Amino acid sequence: MKKTNASILVIDDQEDILFAAKMLLKKHFENIYTLTNPKNVVELLSKSTIDVVLLDMNYRIGFEDGREGLYLLKEIKTLSPKTIVILMTAFGKVETAVEGLKSGAFDYILKPWDNEKLLNLVRQAVSKSRKEQKKLIDVATTDDFFIGNSEAIKKAYLLADKVAITEANVLILGENGTGKFVLAHHIYLQSERKNNAFIPVDLGSLNANIFESELFGYAKGAFTDAKTDTPGRFELAENGTIFLDEIGNVPLHLQAKLLQVIQTKTITRLGESKARPLNVRIITATNLNLKQEVADKNFREDLYYRINTMEIVLPPLRERNEDKIPLAHYLLQKMMAKYGRDEIAFDEKSLEQIEKHAWNGNIREMENRIERAVILCENNHITVSDLDLEQITTYEDNPDDIQLSAIEKAAVEKMLLKNNNNISKTAEELGLSRGALYRRIEKYNISTN
């Protein structure tokens, strides 16, 4: 039997699970990696191309809510968008796995698994990964970077280009969805460090209990689950750039630890006393008014001045009226590539509404609405109804979840109708397994009669 040329990573804290998975998968796929310590996934992804990750959702004894798995899922999708993630969970924890599907997981499988089912699921995931890689290549050969023509955004990027060639720390300010990550990555690509690592960290979703171990690393035996010496995110970014997003959400007592690292340019792992020298460029971002946070005693003034050698403010989309239509066309091309569609266009009224809409959720909101429209539009024309802007006026806690269920339900219904309720064909066109499609049909109470 010829093996498929694919790299599979299995992450689980139980050695017997890893052994069983490796024995099964190595007969069918070229490269099988295993990790007992999920903290090492960032290092592995920075060095190797992984097609599929089988990810357990719980690691620490006494913590079985799946939060660690969901956090790791987000990290993997950020670091390697083309990597497909399959969640592994025990019976009775399905609700958390379903939450993982909303966050970008391909599917989930219950432990103990049926070998044939697992193999089929991994094969589907490898196929999906290949398609994602092709999309990324196709997008990379086109204009995959939108800036705009408004004076405010051009000023921001001009400043970014000037500071990129220096070693200065940069603070990026802006509302949610204005493109802070994109600007940080742009600065990295224009810098002398572009051939080394770019390590993004979402501090807003980082639990305070694991803040130090995630950022600074730890020595073997430093705490109960510390089975091996593990570098933190700062060490992984050595000679490169670390992007600390949502820095305004870091608690005061942890801000002091972050300040010490920046001041001394050293890192000390948990459980060690030896400081390690650090050569890292630091870019930070927040949607908060840090000057006001300093005045309110919520953010350390000394840390504020350490991180903002250069401050760049990204304007909200409502202040970039001349960029709305060009951005919409750019995002449309991006979504057409994502879904394998072509020759889709906005009708005149939809363009008028795009220009008039406030876009309080900024670029992220527009991307969400256009993705929905590409899925739903008929005859390759996007209408006002497809955009459905009247029902959305703002994004607050989690913009990515807004209207997600409605979009997903509409997409499933439309594809079922197109394929005369043929489950296999519909699942294939949606990029889902049959099981995943059945779960969505049940979830949304969709009739297949």
Side-chain angles (χ1 to χ4, degrees), residues 170-187:
V170 181
L171 171 63
I172 303 173
L173 302 175
E175 296 177 6
N176 285 334
T178 50
K180 296 188 290 294
F181 177 93
V182 173
L183 180 61
H185 196 252
H186 174 76
I187 293 171

Side-chain angles (χ1 to χ4, degrees), residues 117-355:
K117 286 184 179 179
L118 179 61
L119 280 174
N120 286 335
L121 193 55
V122 173
R123 288 190 183 107
Q124 292 173 29
V126 168
S127 176
K128 175 78 170 175
S129 178
R130 295 287 186 266
K131 292 178 182 177
E132 291 298 319
Q133 290 179 49
K134 184 177 184 303
K135 288 173 189 174
L136 288 177
I137 292 171
D138 290 344
V139 170
T141 59
T142 62
D143 181 15
D144 64 341
F145 190 76
F146 181 88
I147 296 177
N149 293 312
S150 64
E151 286 303 315
I153 197 66
K154 286 195 294 185
K155 180 180 178 181
Y157 271 86
L158 180 62
L159 189 55
D161 288 340
K162 287 182 178 180
V163 74
I165 59 176
T166 73
E167 289 293 300
N169 293 336
V170 181
L171 171 63
I172 303 173
L173 302 175
E175 296 177 6
N176 285 334
T178 50
K180 296 188 290 294
F181 177 93
V182 173
L183 180 61
H185 196 252
H186 174 76
I187 293 171
Y188 156 73
L189 290 176
Q190 307 306 311
S191 75
E192 295 295 326
R193 296 173 179 262
K194 63 183 177 184
N195 294 321
N196 297 311
F198 177 78
I199 303 295
V201 186
D202 182 0
L203 298 177
S205 63
L206 199 61
N207 188 296
N209 295 328
I210 61 172
F211 181 92
E212 291 182 73
S213 60
E214 282 286 334
L215 289 183
F216 312 144
Y218 53 85
K220 180 180 179 180
F223 47 86
T224 303
D225 294 326
K227 299 175 182 177
T228 60
D229 290 339
T230 303
R233 301 303 174 85
F234 273 99
E235 282 187 76
L236 293 175
E238 180 68 12
N239 297 320
T241 301
I242 190 168
F243 174 51
L244 303 176
D245 198 7
E246 301 300 346
I247 194 168
N249 293 333
V250 177
L252 275 169
H253 70 286
L254 295 176
Q255 290 176 27
K257 297 179 182 297
L258 198 55
L259 176 65
Q260 183 178 17
V261 170
I262 298 172
Q263 283 180 328
T264 63
K265 295 183 180 180
T266 61
I267 203 82
T268 304
R269 293 182 182 178
L270 285 176
E272 290 185 349
S273 57
K274 177 185 175 182
R276 299 166 183 260
L278 194 63
N279 177 19
V280 173
R281 205 254 181 96
I282 299 172
I283 303 176
T284 56
T286 182
N287 62 349
L288 299 178
N289 182 337
L290 280 194
K291 287 183 179 179
Q292 187 60 49
E293 292 298 303
V294 169
D296 293 340
K297 308 298 183 183
N298 295 324
F299 199 85
R300 292 179 63 113
E301 186 175 19
D302 46 5
L303 177 59
Y304 171 71
Y305 286 114
R306 283 288 182 180
I307 62 176
N308 83 329
T309 305
M310 183 62 69
E311 182 177 290
I312 303 176
V313 180
L314 283 175
L317 195 51
R318 62 182 173 275
E319 295 178 7
R320 301 172 53 188
N321 200 55
E322 61 267 57
D323 290 337
K324 289 180 181 178
I325 299 302
L327 176 60
H329 285 300
Y330 164 78
L331 293 174
L332 176 59
Q333 292 297 319
K334 180 180 175 182
M335 291 305 159
M336 284 162 56
K338 178 178 180 178
Y339 289 100
R341 303 282 299 275
D342 54 19
E343 297 185 358
I344 297 178
F346 297 105
D347 68 16
E348 187 175 345
K349 289 186 177 179
S350 66
L351 286 174
E352 289 176 1
Q353 192 172 47
I354 286 171
E355 193 166 28

